[in-house]
Amino acid sequence: MDSDLRVTRTRRWGVVDAAWGVLASLILVVLLGAAALRGWPRDPVLGELFSYLVVWVPLLAAVLIASMVRGRRSLARDFGFTFRPLDLLWGLTLGVLARLITGFIEIAGYGRLGSAGATFGEPVRDLWWVFAALLAPVLISPVIEELFFRGLLARSVLAAGEASGGSRRAALITAILVSGAVFALVHVVSAGTPTAVMVIGLSTFIFGAGAAALALITGRLGGAIVGHVTFNALVVVPALLG
């Protein structure tokens, strides 16, 4: 296990830093949803861009402030933002297994495969299409979300659990469950139906908990990021080819 995890409690960032990042993201998502009901923004491209930014900006801001202002000014040392070749194997395994489990959940909830029935219509293949269809969901979101949920949040909860005097095993389990639960919460806040809340919530919780376990056990985010890229790509790529 990465030795950085053993000294997390000496850093000045913690659960409060993660909490305000989540809260800010949830508030912005709700506000954007309320604006969408009133027909704003009218430009669908702008609306899609905002749908990413309301999540990315507060989460990434929390990570950068925690590291650059209250930490070691190194994403690698603060949050394990490193990669080793073995992480590719662990990440691919995590992403494929989580997507298989999600498939069963989707069939049980929707009666078919494909969470939200992802489609992209007729591809234009301009720069915006490359960003919205590929870069944002498959590459950018996994990096930002893993930095926050498995970097800042999971490590903060782990440190808090250890500082409270509990066993490391209990602190590790708590960090895994909290990371998965908060990850699911952020993804279901804009779900439209109870069925979607159940399917998306359970699916993202399973992946989030698995990614947290992998990140905390290895001490690196590399495997979790690869797993997240795989998990998302297994929805996006078939939709693009369909």
Side-chain angles (χ1 to χ4, degrees):
M1 184 178 293
D2 191 330
S3 60
D4 278 348
L5 287 177
R6 303 180 189 279
V7 295
T8 304
R9 71 187 65 185
T10 66
R11 299 166 186 156
R12 291 182 296 149
W13 51 261
V15 174
V16 172
D17 299 86
W20 80 254
V22 172
L23 182 61
S25 179
L26 291 175
I27 290 173
L28 290 177
V29 169
V30 171
L31 290 176
L32 181 62
L37 292 176
R38 291 175 167 80
W40 186 92
R42 297 185 182 278
D43 185 345
V45 170
L46 192 60
E48 189 168 5
L49 178 61
F50 279 140
S51 72
Y52 286 117
L53 293 180
V54 294
V55 176
W56 291 350
V57 170
L59 298 189
L60 187 57
V63 167
L64 294 178
I65 290 172
S67 182
M68 303 305 169
V69 178
R70 296 164 57 80
R72 301 179 180 185
R73 299 186 178 182
S74 168
L75 296 180
R77 297 178 67 193
D78 280 317
F79 307 124
F81 189 48
T82 59
F83 177 84
R84 293 182 184 174
L86 188 59
D87 293 333
L88 181 62
L89 174 62
W90 293 126
L92 288 172
T93 301
L94 169 66
V96 171
L97 285 177
R99 183 51 64 189
L100 286 174
I101 295 171
T102 294
F104 289 111
I105 296 172
E106 290 169 352
I107 291 173
Y110 298 136
R112 57 177 171 78
L113 283 173
S115 56
T119 58
F120 291 91
E122 188 66 26
V124 178
R125 290 187 170 83
D126 56 9
L127 289 178
W128 171 252
W129 181 88
V130 171
F131 170 81
L134 293 173
L135 295 181
V138 178
L139 294 178
I140 302 175
S141 284
V143 172
I144 294 175
E145 292 180 5
E146 292 308 312
L147 271 169
F148 181 85
F149 291 104
R150 263 60 76 176
L152 174 59
L153 177 61
R155 288 187 173 212
S156 295
V157 176
L158 177 63
E162 291 182 319
S164 69
S167 69
R168 182 170 182 83
R169 180 184 178 86
L172 183 63
I173 293 173
T174 300
I176 290 170
L177 295 178
V178 170
S179 177
V182 177
F183 182 67
L185 175 63
V186 170
H187 283 79
V188 303
V189 68
S190 58
T193 67
T195 300
V197 170
M198 184 275 292
V199 172
I200 297 172
L202 188 54
S203 300
T204 51
F205 172 78
I206 290 172
F207 173 78
L214 179 59
L216 293 176
I217 290 172
T218 63
R220 301 183 302 275
L221 293 180
I225 291 173
V226 172
H228 204 148
V229 168
T230 304
F231 186 75
N232 287 2
L234 289 173
V235 169
V236 172
V237 173
L240 293 175
L241 297 177

